[in-house]
Amino acid sequence: MIMKLRLLKFLMLMLGLAFFGVSGAMAQDVVEEVTEAVTEAVPFDAAYGAFMETQGSFFTISNLWLLISAALVFVMHLGFSTLEAGLCQSKNTVNILFKNVFIICMGVLTYAFWGFNAMYPGDAWSIGGVFAMGSWFDVDPTMELMSSEYADYTWYTDFIFQAMFAATAATIVSGAVAERVKLSSFMIFATLLVMFAYPVTGSWEWGGGWLNDFGVDGDKEFIDFAGSSLVHAFGGYAALACVLLLGARKGKYLDNGKVRPILGHSMPLATIGVFLLFLGWFGFNGGSVLSADPYMVSLVFVTTALAACAGGLGAMFTSWIVLKKPDLSMSLNGVLAGLVGITAGADTISPFWSIIVGLIAGIIVVISVLFFDKIKIDDPVGAISVHGICGNFGTIVVGICGGGFFMSQLIGTIAISAFAFIFSIIVFGILKVTIGVRVSEEEEMGGLDIGEHGQEAYPDFAPDTK
Amino acid sequence: MIMKLRLLKFLMLMLGLAFFGVSGAMAQDVVEEVTEAVTEAVPFDAAYGAFMETQGSFFTISNLWLLISAALVFVMHLGFSTLEAGLCQSKNTVNILFKNVFIICMGVLTYAFWGFNAMYPGDAWSIGGVFAMGSWFDVDPTMELMSSEYADYTWYTDFIFQAMFAATAATIVSGAVAERVKLSSFMIFATLLVMFAYPVTGSWEWGGGWLNDFGVDGDKEFIDFAGSSLVHAFGGYAALACVLLLGARKGKYLDNGKVRPILGHSMPLATIGVFLLFLGWFGFNGGSVLSADPYMVSLVFVTTALAACAGGLGAMFTSWIVLKKPDLSMSLNGVLAGLVGITAGADTISPFWSIIVGLIAGIIVVISVLFFDKIKIDDPVGAISVHGICGNFGTIVVGICGGGFFMSQLIGTIAISAFAFIFSIIVFGILKVTIGVRVSEEEEMGGLDIGEHGQEAYPDFAPDTK
Amino acid sequence: MIMKLRLLKFLMLMLGLAFFGVSGAMAQDVVEEVTEAVTEAVPFDAAYGAFMETQGSFFTISNLWLLISAALVFVMHLGFSTLEAGLCQSKNTVNILFKNVFIICMGVLTYAFWGFNAMYPGDAWSIGGVFAMGSWFDVDPTMELMSSEYADYTWYTDFIFQAMFAATAATIVSGAVAERVKLSSFMIFATLLVMFAYPVTGSWEWGGGWLNDFGVDGDKEFIDFAGSSLVHAFGGYAALACVLLLGARKGKYLDNGKVRPILGHSMPLATIGVFLLFLGWFGFNGGSVLSADPYMVSLVFVTTALAACAGGLGAMFTSWIVLKKPDLSMSLNGVLAGLVGITAGADTISPFWSIIVGLIAGIIVVISVLFFDKIKIDDPVGAISVHGICGNFGTIVVGICGGGFFMSQLIGTIAISAFAFIFSIIVFGILKVTIGVRVSEEEEMGGLDIGEHGQEAYPDFAPDTK
């Protein structure tokens, strides 16, 4: 009986909508009432139809944009693969590609089984604002529709977009530990990092945790639009921890104090990687608007592109001055530095300031790469500098020219970086003292491709032995 | 006079729409009446304007999504090119790239001249539900609008999306026959396959043919959402037929019964290929929803990604156990196996089951590749296993966990595979006894790049002759 | 007081909209009145909300499509990078990649600081219809909304889409001067070309300049839909000027009158480049519709793809006949020729004629490449033929089968080509007599990678010295 009454109410509301074409604030109320009535009384198909009828258009566009963004973020995994492969030696290429294929496969699946619900707990916190248990992401069909109550996209869209982000953290580590890490240990570490650690810091901010609560009613909340800290600094500091435990590649730092550069084997692969990362970033940042709002998405495209280009030029000319030669690898890292730098404030920093932010990030990354080499922290692809240091910078800068509060930004980026670092020190440390984290010296010399996979990347071509 | 009356009727309808903002079921009727009135009486521009006014929004979004999907499916052709090139020897690279450039060019054009109308005959069957004659795809402008009667996209969108699919079948064959097929014979075969054979089986299902008629009023119809059978098994069995007629590469199966692996020359190219295929599959499956429906498209993205990732892990660990080493090529083929496996039921299989389907496909592909090598069927890229066997599996599995009927699925996938196999045996067989299908032994040894094209892929680098 | 009255007027209009659901021609007037009232009286957020309420849907979709198109055009820069790198020698690869990274970074930034406003001056011409001063592109937030008065996308979207186009011109030159141009001179030239020259010819047509005024009230206006002349012929003729001043690569044209081919070092890179350019062209042409209009965008996708495919086949078979071998590089250039050829009329040429146009462009490009080699104009990648000659052809053909006026098309393409040529002769000429434009003979022999960057592209592999 009640159900029939509700259905009647619903039909009357629909009729009202149909005949009066109500819109704006009025429609909003009506829609809410409809949605409420609908969820309780009508089956999924009818509810879905009613929903599409009343507010489908913007929802459909936004949902589509988030899905396309997910595909663009997926492209970043290819970008990371070719960048990392290009900047390392040919004898470790199969190993690097294998790790990257593993990371995306493992990352999406663990995010389905644990990460997504751990990162977005709703009210289901285990420790309020700090930690939530994860679980299988999927829900019954009616729930997917209900995402419209809080978002302009479906539950499934939310999952796949965030899942593509999740694996990124481990990918960053992969680059820094390349050419000497033991495959099985890395696979265990990457799984634990993506499955358990990443959702924790993610929940602090995007899941509505404690970083949202600074100030009165969160008016001084920590801001990290698309993850300068939550994704990049997180990955960068996890990488730093692993590199400290792992040590440098053999022959990199000579006894006489000199640094012997170990050159990447394919600059085209590295360049392809950076272009694809730049491309993917339009989805990474653009999708983080979480709707297809024309003003916001276009602003984010502009700030992202300007920062990337300024970062590229910044690193290009800094390297030209410092190293006396215009350096391609540095320029490529400069583009990435600009992208990482703008990520936290891509929606609040103005186009002009985005150029400044990118330019500074591009300068920072060159100095940082040289600095880490000086203190003998061996990072083959510059991941710690690009993601860690520029991730910190990008987060803090929101407190200067992006509408955030400086102290909130500082606390947030330190907390996230510290958590990633400590988690990694502990987990990778345990792996080190148990099964070991480094390949044998012979395997390192002969290459991980033969050592771990029994497979060469370029069997038709003999490496240069000059 | 009649025309004037119709125009008046149309104007009154428009007025009604404008003032009462009718929507929902009522609007649907009105729209149909308008469309009918419009087509007969008013010129294209007015009809188009009226159409966009009344139901343009969802149509515009869906149309855009299909076009973006067409672009994503186009990316798959690049993916196939680099995957195939990477998994073959450097001396045959130019030949492989040339074939792939030819296939996309030829595929789109023959689909325009014959395939599209042969595959979607409407009521114009030559043999009811089994075969239709093709013709030039284009129509007069008013017809394009009228696609809105049956679909959420224009006639042109329909064509370009389907055209991008069509060439895929020949690409699959290209991989299996690589490194010894005669270029001209392959070009003739590929043209006949794409132009005449592909639309036939396509019409059986997507064109509304006999596979739609199982059961009472088609209630037990064959289901193949995006083409596990219609595209992949079709290509895979055509490939099997060609390989049987062509024989193995020289030196692959030794007289003493041993198998000598012929290694692919560039694992980065192969990996780039698989990532791009994964990316393109979001359009292949996601676009096959044939609208931008938020629930359906997002579900398809999720099932597609989960199956791909599970397939990758499945093959990774199966190869680790069976071959004692974690094998990159197997893992890459595992990702593709998962994708092929989910393609028939990406819209009806739940996320959880999509993981199971992908995992099994990943295991199957490793066993299948090893099996075909055992029985001396030489398939350089594993196309028969990935597309043929996993295409069968993916289709049948819809009869188990995807809402389809087991017997319908079984009959459908056998019928399609058999047609592709028999067509290929006949056509490729005729080519074999007439102009020949295989290059000379000297050319095979020296490479098809020099033999067929007089051009090397990497003239700056000498191949390793160790 | 006046402001309050305006607000009242605005509210009444909104109420009218809400209750009567007015649409079509009536709504258009209302919307204009609202927009006007809104801009003057209400703050940005309210104005934006009102705008989205009344006509947001099509605007949001179109805006999104333009942004996605911008991302696709960005992909073209990667395509150009790998195509150029692949078609040149391995010893110049780092240099080529560096130039391409520089061009995109510099291009987007200079377009922000000068180009955008110089190209789209509105009424702010310095010399009516011929030249406008540039300035920083950004505007205050309310202005961005107002883009809706003239377009279906925001100010920011307009900028980023056009910025991605701008850098293309310099990229075209980069290919033609590769392997012997001095890096610093090229960087200066490219900056001046993109910043100052490109917006001038751009303003003549897309900025509403003198090329729009042919005939009575512009009824015989010059037509260049997406830039066969404004982008491609412009780049092609700038390239021709530079090559004339620069001279051929050492060892290309021998004293005995023979031509020694200097082979590109990686056909996979070149092929990847062309596929990515094809992909990006869907955004280049498809986005130039400047909305998501379903009929227009889908037509443009079809004509673009058909012309590209016909161009590929045209060059393939022409090279087969002329050179006796099916040539991969020629086929790749044929695809590009077809794309350049259809670009001026992708929205007005019918699908059938687009095939003819593409086919002819594919034939032309082979003849043109051979011709330029005959007269000893050394263009390593065929850029002058692909972009210059086919750009001219594509523009003129709109006067034959694309609804344009032959003489208008002829005058337009000559004017644009001539301007690019003369500007380049002067600027590159000044560079030649001052700091020089060519590397030393030793550097050319040893490669620009070591000479300019001190870095090898493939340090693990020794080049073949057979």
Side-chain angles (χ1 to χ4, degrees), chain B residues 150-183:
Chain B
Y150 71 89
D152 291 311
Y153 41 87
T154 70
W155 185 268
Y156 285 145
T157 300
D158 199 1
F159 165 74
I160 197 70
F161 181 64
Q162 297 300 340
M164 290 301 170
F165 270 68
T168 311
T171 308
I172 294 168
V173 179
S174 170
V177 299
E179 313 209 86
R180 76 271 201 206
V181 78
K182 196 173 164 180
L183 179 63

mmCIF file of all heavy atoms in Angstrom, chain B residues 150-183:
data_model
loop_
_atom_site.group_PDB
_atom_site.id
_atom_site.type_symbol
_atom_site.label_atom_id
_atom_site.label_comp_id
_atom_site.label_asym_id
_atom_site.label_seq_id
_atom_site.Cartn_x
_atom_site.Cartn_y
_atom_site.Cartn_z
ATOM 1 N N TYR B 150 16.661 4.573 -35.168
ATOM 2 C CA TYR B 150 17.051 3.295 -34.587
ATOM 3 C C TYR B 150 18.298 3.374 -33.716
ATOM 4 O O TYR B 150 18.661 2.416 -33.054
ATOM 5 C CB TYR B 150 17.264 2.247 -35.698
ATOM 6 C CG TYR B 150 18.482 2.441 -36.549
ATOM 7 C CD1 TYR B 150 19.710 1.867 -36.161
ATOM 8 C CD2 TYR B 150 18.459 3.203 -37.705
ATOM 9 C CE1 TYR B 150 20.838 2.039 -36.935
ATOM 10 C CE2 TYR B 150 19.592 3.380 -38.473
ATOM 11 C CZ TYR B 150 20.772 2.792 -38.094
ATOM 12 O OH TYR B 150 21.898 2.960 -38.837
ATOM 13 N N ALA B 151 18.944 4.512 -33.713
ATOM 14 C CA ALA B 151 20.220 4.553 -33.002
ATOM 15 C C ALA B 151 20.516 5.938 -32.453
ATOM 16 O O ALA B 151 19.924 6.935 -32.887
ATOM 17 C CB ALA B 151 21.342 4.128 -33.937
ATOM 18 N N ASP B 152 21.463 5.989 -31.519
ATOM 19 C CA ASP B 152 21.856 7.259 -30.916
ATOM 20 C C ASP B 152 23.100 7.831 -31.572
ATOM 21 O O ASP B 152 23.953 8.420 -30.891
ATOM 22 C CB ASP B 152 22.093 7.054 -29.415
ATOM 23 C CG ASP B 152 20.797 6.782 -28.689
ATOM 24 O OD1 ASP B 152 19.841 7.540 -28.904
ATOM 25 O OD2 ASP B 152 20.738 5.810 -27.921
ATOM 26 N N TYR B 153 23.230 7.658 -32.873
ATOM 27 C CA TYR B 153 24.394 8.180 -33.573
ATOM 28 C C TYR B 153 24.046 8.285 -35.054
ATOM 29 O O TYR B 153 23.081 7.668 -35.517
ATOM 30 C CB TYR B 153 25.604 7.266 -33.379
ATOM 31 C CG TYR B 153 25.273 5.802 -33.458
ATOM 32 C CD1 TYR B 153 25.248 5.133 -34.673
ATOM 33 C CD2 TYR B 153 24.943 5.089 -32.306
ATOM 34 C CE1 TYR B 153 24.915 3.797 -34.747
ATOM 35 C CE2 TYR B 153 24.611 3.740 -32.370
ATOM 36 C CZ TYR B 153 24.595 3.103 -33.594
ATOM 37 O OH TYR B 153 24.255 1.777 -33.669
ATOM 38 N N THR B 154 24.843 9.047 -35.778
ATOM 39 C CA THR B 154 24.533 9.248 -37.188
ATOM 40 C C THR B 154 24.988 8.058 -38.018
ATOM 41 O O THR B 154 25.783 7.224 -37.578
ATOM 42 C CB THR B 154 25.243 10.496 -37.745
ATOM 43 O OG1 THR B 154 26.646 10.231 -37.810
ATOM 44 C CG2 THR B 154 25.006 11.721 -36.869
ATOM 45 N N TRP B 155 24.517 8.039 -39.208
ATOM 46 C CA TRP B 155 24.891 7.051 -40.216
ATOM 47 C C TRP B 155 26.410 7.037 -40.397
ATOM 48 O O TRP B 155 27.053 5.982 -40.467
ATOM 49 C CB TRP B 155 24.194 7.439 -41.516
ATOM 50 C CG TRP B 155 24.343 6.491 -42.646
ATOM 51 C CD1 TRP B 155 25.292 6.509 -43.628
ATOM 52 C CD2 TRP B 155 23.490 5.377 -42.936
ATOM 53 N NE1 TRP B 155 25.092 5.487 -44.499
ATOM 54 C CE2 TRP B 155 23.990 4.775 -44.117
ATOM 55 C CE3 TRP B 155 22.361 4.839 -42.318
ATOM 56 C CZ2 TRP B 155 23.392 3.647 -44.686
ATOM 57 C CZ3 TRP B 155 21.762 3.730 -42.890
ATOM 58 C CH2 TRP B 155 22.278 3.139 -44.039
ATOM 59 N N TYR B 156 27.000 8.211 -40.504
ATOM 60 C CA TYR B 156 28.447 8.309 -40.709
ATOM 61 C C TYR B 156 29.222 7.754 -39.522
ATOM 62 O O TYR B 156 30.255 7.122 -39.669
ATOM 63 C CB TYR B 156 28.853 9.775 -40.940
ATOM 64 C CG TYR B 156 28.501 10.294 -42.307
ATOM 65 C CD1 TYR B 156 28.109 11.618 -42.497
ATOM 66 C CD2 TYR B 156 28.572 9.467 -43.429
ATOM 67 C CE1 TYR B 156 27.795 12.101 -43.769
ATOM 68 C CE2 TYR B 156 28.253 9.935 -44.689
ATOM 69 C CZ TYR B 156 27.861 11.247 -44.857
ATOM 70 O OH TYR B 156 27.560 11.714 -46.103
ATOM 71 N N THR B 157 28.707 8.021 -38.323
ATOM 72 C CA THR B 157 29.359 7.501 -37.127
ATOM 73 C C THR B 157 29.312 5.977 -37.122
ATOM 74 O O THR B 157 30.297 5.301 -36.827
ATOM 75 C CB THR B 157 28.661 8.048 -35.855
ATOM 76 O OG1 THR B 157 28.753 9.472 -35.876
ATOM 77 C CG2 THR B 157 29.308 7.509 -34.599
ATOM 78 N N ASP B 158 28.149 5.465 -37.447
ATOM 79 C CA ASP B 158 27.975 4.014 -37.525
ATOM 80 C C ASP B 158 29.019 3.425 -38.472
ATOM 81 O O ASP B 158 29.726 2.462 -38.135
ATOM 82 C CB ASP B 158 26.561 3.723 -38.056
ATOM 83 C CG ASP B 158 26.118 2.300 -37.756
ATOM 84 O OD1 ASP B 158 26.891 1.554 -37.120
ATOM 85 O OD2 ASP B 158 24.995 1.928 -38.155
ATOM 86 N N PHE B 159 29.139 4.020 -39.641
ATOM 87 C CA PHE B 159 30.085 3.513 -40.630
ATOM 88 C C PHE B 159 31.518 3.523 -40.106
ATOM 89 O O PHE B 159 32.231 2.520 -40.170
ATOM 90 C CB PHE B 159 30.005 4.319 -41.925
ATOM 91 C CG PHE B 159 31.189 4.076 -42.816
ATOM 92 C CD1 PHE B 159 31.310 2.876 -43.514
ATOM 93 C CD2 PHE B 159 32.210 5.005 -42.920
ATOM 94 C CE1 PHE B 159 32.423 2.626 -44.309
ATOM 95 C CE2 PHE B 159 33.328 4.765 -43.708
ATOM 96 C CZ PHE B 159 33.440 3.567 -44.401
ATOM 97 N N ILE B 160 31.972 4.653 -39.580
ATOM 98 C CA ILE B 160 33.396 4.762 -39.246
ATOM 99 C C ILE B 160 33.741 3.861 -38.059
ATOM 100 O O ILE B 160 34.823 3.256 -38.009
ATOM 101 C CB ILE B 160 33.820 6.231 -39.012
ATOM 102 C CG1 ILE B 160 35.341 6.379 -39.078
ATOM 103 C CG2 ILE B 160 33.314 6.792 -37.703
ATOM 104 C CD1 ILE B 160 35.922 6.211 -40.447
ATOM 105 N N PHE B 161 32.824 3.740 -37.107
ATOM 106 C CA PHE B 161 33.064 2.855 -35.961
ATOM 107 C C PHE B 161 33.189 1.407 -36.438
ATOM 108 O O PHE B 161 34.136 0.695 -36.082
ATOM 109 C CB PHE B 161 31.919 3.005 -34.946
ATOM 110 C CG PHE B 161 32.078 2.154 -33.712
ATOM 111 C CD1 PHE B 161 33.141 2.360 -32.845
ATOM 112 C CD2 PHE B 161 31.161 1.150 -33.408
ATOM 113 C CE1 PHE B 161 33.290 1.571 -31.699
ATOM 114 C CE2 PHE B 161 31.311 0.372 -32.266
ATOM 115 C CZ PHE B 161 32.370 0.583 -31.415
ATOM 116 N N GLN B 162 32.279 0.968 -37.289
ATOM 117 C CA GLN B 162 32.302 -0.412 -37.763
ATOM 118 C C GLN B 162 33.469 -0.650 -38.723
ATOM 119 O O GLN B 162 34.025 -1.745 -38.781
ATOM 120 C CB GLN B 162 30.975 -0.764 -38.445
ATOM 121 C CG GLN B 162 29.761 -0.713 -37.517
ATOM 122 C CD GLN B 162 29.866 -1.681 -36.347
ATOM 123 O OE1 GLN B 162 30.626 -2.638 -36.363
ATOM 124 N NE2 GLN B 162 29.120 -1.396 -35.290
ATOM 125 N N ALA B 163 33.833 0.378 -39.488
ATOM 126 C CA ALA B 163 34.941 0.231 -40.434
ATOM 127 C C ALA B 163 36.245 -0.045 -39.691
ATOM 128 O O ALA B 163 37.090 -0.825 -40.149
ATOM 129 C CB ALA B 163 35.065 1.489 -41.288
ATOM 130 N N MET B 164 36.408 0.616 -38.542
ATOM 131 C CA MET B 164 37.629 0.412 -37.759
ATOM 132 C C MET B 164 37.714 -1.034 -37.236
ATOM 133 O O MET B 164 38.789 -1.601 -37.103
ATOM 134 C CB MET B 164 37.687 1.392 -36.582
ATOM 135 C CG MET B 164 37.917 2.838 -36.984
ATOM 136 S SD MET B 164 39.474 3.060 -37.891
ATOM 137 C CE MET B 164 39.292 4.742 -38.473
ATOM 138 N N PHE B 165 36.533 -1.618 -36.929
ATOM 139 C CA PHE B 165 36.498 -3.022 -36.514
ATOM 140 C C PHE B 165 36.917 -3.951 -37.651
ATOM 141 O O PHE B 165 37.640 -4.919 -37.452
ATOM 142 C CB PHE B 165 35.066 -3.420 -36.106
ATOM 143 C CG PHE B 165 34.739 -3.221 -34.664
ATOM 144 C CD1 PHE B 165 34.660 -1.943 -34.130
ATOM 145 C CD2 PHE B 165 34.493 -4.302 -33.822
ATOM 146 C CE1 PHE B 165 34.346 -1.752 -32.793
ATOM 147 C CE2 PHE B 165 34.185 -4.118 -32.486
ATOM 148 C CZ PHE B 165 34.099 -2.853 -31.963
ATOM 149 N N ALA B 166 36.381 -3.638 -38.846
ATOM 150 C CA ALA B 166 36.458 -4.587 -39.957
ATOM 151 C C ALA B 166 37.882 -5.017 -40.264
ATOM 152 O O ALA B 166 38.166 -6.217 -40.435
ATOM 153 C CB ALA B 166 35.810 -3.972 -41.196
ATOM 154 N N ALA B 167 38.792 -4.026 -40.316
ATOM 155 C CA ALA B 167 40.159 -4.347 -40.713
ATOM 156 C C ALA B 167 40.870 -5.245 -39.705
ATOM 157 O O ALA B 167 41.866 -5.901 -40.041
ATOM 158 C CB ALA B 167 40.940 -3.058 -40.916
ATOM 159 N N THR B 168 40.340 -5.311 -38.481
ATOM 160 C CA THR B 168 41.002 -6.074 -37.432
ATOM 161 C C THR B 168 41.186 -7.547 -37.797
ATOM 162 O O THR B 168 42.229 -8.152 -37.498
ATOM 163 C CB THR B 168 40.188 -5.984 -36.123
ATOM 164 O OG1 THR B 168 39.877 -4.611 -35.893
ATOM 165 C CG2 THR B 168 40.971 -6.517 -34.958
ATOM 166 N N ALA B 169 40.166 -8.114 -38.435
ATOM 167 C CA ALA B 169 40.223 -9.546 -38.747
ATOM 168 C C ALA B 169 41.474 -9.889 -39.545
ATOM 169 O O ALA B 169 42.191 -10.853 -39.233
ATOM 170 C CB ALA B 169 38.970 -9.955 -39.516
ATOM 171 N N ALA B 170 41.772 -9.073 -40.577
ATOM 172 C CA ALA B 170 42.936 -9.355 -41.410
ATOM 173 C C ALA B 170 44.231 -9.149 -40.633
ATOM 174 O O ALA B 170 45.227 -9.845 -40.850
ATOM 175 C CB ALA B 170 42.921 -8.468 -42.647
ATOM 176 N N THR B 171 44.211 -8.185 -39.716
ATOM 177 C CA THR B 171 45.401 -7.916 -38.916
ATOM 178 C C THR B 171 45.770 -9.140 -38.092
ATOM 179 O O THR B 171 46.953 -9.445 -37.899
ATOM 180 C CB THR B 171 45.145 -6.728 -37.973
ATOM 181 O OG1 THR B 171 44.648 -5.649 -38.749
ATOM 182 C CG2 THR B 171 46.412 -6.301 -37.286
ATOM 183 N N ILE B 172 44.777 -9.822 -37.567
ATOM 184 C CA ILE B 172 45.030 -11.017 -36.763
ATOM 185 C C ILE B 172 45.753 -12.061 -37.609
ATOM 186 O O ILE B 172 46.727 -12.670 -37.169
ATOM 187 C CB ILE B 172 43.697 -11.566 -36.197
ATOM 188 C CG1 ILE B 172 43.111 -10.565 -35.196
ATOM 189 C CG2 ILE B 172 43.902 -12.933 -35.563
ATOM 190 C CD1 ILE B 172 41.683 -10.842 -34.790
ATOM 191 N N VAL B 173 45.275 -12.263 -38.843
ATOM 192 C CA VAL B 173 45.918 -13.218 -39.738
ATOM 193 C C VAL B 173 47.362 -12.807 -40.008
ATOM 194 O O VAL B 173 48.281 -13.627 -40.007
ATOM 195 C CB VAL B 173 45.144 -13.324 -41.070
ATOM 196 C CG1 VAL B 173 45.837 -14.299 -42.010
ATOM 197 C CG2 VAL B 173 43.704 -13.758 -40.814
ATOM 198 N N SER B 174 47.557 -11.525 -40.220
ATOM 199 C CA SER B 174 48.882 -10.994 -40.543
ATOM 200 C C SER B 174 49.953 -11.476 -39.565
ATOM 201 O O SER B 174 51.042 -11.866 -39.975
ATOM 202 C CB SER B 174 48.821 -9.460 -40.543
ATOM 203 O OG SER B 174 50.102 -8.918 -40.632
ATOM 204 N N GLY B 175 49.620 -11.471 -38.282
ATOM 205 C CA GLY B 175 50.576 -11.901 -37.274
ATOM 206 C C GLY B 175 50.943 -13.363 -37.396
ATOM 207 O O GLY B 175 52.118 -13.739 -37.279
ATOM 208 N N ALA B 176 49.939 -14.201 -37.655
ATOM 209 C CA ALA B 176 50.181 -15.645 -37.672
ATOM 210 C C ALA B 176 51.009 -16.083 -38.871
ATOM 211 O O ALA B 176 51.763 -17.057 -38.800
ATOM 212 C CB ALA B 176 48.844 -16.399 -37.647
ATOM 213 N N VAL B 177 50.867 -15.396 -39.996
ATOM 214 C CA VAL B 177 51.565 -15.816 -41.213
ATOM 215 C C VAL B 177 52.873 -15.046 -41.434
ATOM 216 O O VAL B 177 53.533 -15.200 -42.454
ATOM 217 C CB VAL B 177 50.658 -15.640 -42.455
ATOM 218 C CG1 VAL B 177 49.416 -16.501 -42.330
ATOM 219 C CG2 VAL B 177 50.298 -14.178 -42.663
ATOM 220 N N ALA B 178 53.224 -14.231 -40.442
ATOM 221 C CA ALA B 178 54.379 -13.348 -40.599
ATOM 222 C C ALA B 178 55.675 -14.115 -40.832
ATOM 223 O O ALA B 178 55.791 -15.286 -40.500
ATOM 224 C CB ALA B 178 54.528 -12.470 -39.350
ATOM 225 N N GLU B 179 56.618 -13.464 -41.433
ATOM 226 C CA GLU B 179 57.990 -13.908 -41.634
ATOM 227 C C GLU B 179 58.182 -14.926 -42.755
ATOM 228 O O GLU B 179 59.291 -15.390 -42.992
ATOM 229 C CB GLU B 179 58.622 -14.461 -40.333
ATOM 230 C CG GLU B 179 58.408 -13.566 -39.118
ATOM 231 C CD GLU B 179 59.507 -13.662 -38.091
ATOM 232 O OE1 GLU B 179 60.506 -12.940 -38.229
ATOM 233 O OE2 GLU B 179 59.373 -14.456 -37.133
ATOM 234 N N ARG B 180 57.090 -15.305 -43.449
ATOM 235 C CA ARG B 180 57.288 -16.199 -44.611
ATOM 236 C C ARG B 180 56.205 -16.046 -45.663
ATOM 237 O O ARG B 180 56.274 -16.672 -46.718
ATOM 238 C CB ARG B 180 57.427 -17.660 -44.162
ATOM 239 C CG ARG B 180 56.151 -18.393 -43.736
ATOM 240 C CD ARG B 180 55.873 -18.205 -42.267
ATOM 241 N NE ARG B 180 55.008 -19.217 -41.697
ATOM 242 C CZ ARG B 180 54.250 -19.015 -40.619
ATOM 243 N NH1 ARG B 180 54.207 -17.836 -40.024
ATOM 244 N NH2 ARG B 180 53.528 -20.001 -40.129
ATOM 245 N N VAL B 181 55.176 -15.243 -45.422
ATOM 246 C CA VAL B 181 54.105 -15.133 -46.409
ATOM 247 C C VAL B 181 54.528 -14.187 -47.526
ATOM 248 O O VAL B 181 55.222 -13.201 -47.308
ATOM 249 C CB VAL B 181 52.799 -14.661 -45.743
ATOM 250 C CG1 VAL B 181 52.811 -13.163 -45.472
ATOM 251 C CG2 VAL B 181 51.582 -15.042 -46.583
ATOM 252 N N LYS B 182 54.098 -14.506 -48.722
ATOM 253 C CA LYS B 182 54.368 -13.678 -49.894
ATOM 254 C C LYS B 182 53.477 -12.446 -49.835
ATOM 255 O O LYS B 182 52.254 -12.564 -49.680
ATOM 256 C CB LYS B 182 54.048 -14.509 -51.145
ATOM 257 C CG LYS B 182 54.597 -13.974 -52.428
ATOM 258 C CD LYS B 182 54.347 -15.005 -53.530
ATOM 259 C CE LYS B 182 54.518 -14.368 -54.902
ATOM 260 N NZ LYS B 182 54.270 -15.374 -55.955
ATOM 261 N N LEU B 183 54.065 -11.283 -49.999
ATOM 262 C CA LEU B 183 53.318 -10.051 -49.787
ATOM 263 C C LEU B 183 52.078 -9.935 -50.674
ATOM 264 O O LEU B 183 50.967 -9.681 -50.177
ATOM 265 C CB LEU B 183 54.225 -8.831 -50.018
ATOM 266 C CG LEU B 183 53.542 -7.475 -49.847
ATOM 267 C CD1 LEU B 183 53.056 -7.265 -48.425
ATOM 268 C CD2 LEU B 183 54.472 -6.345 -50.258
#
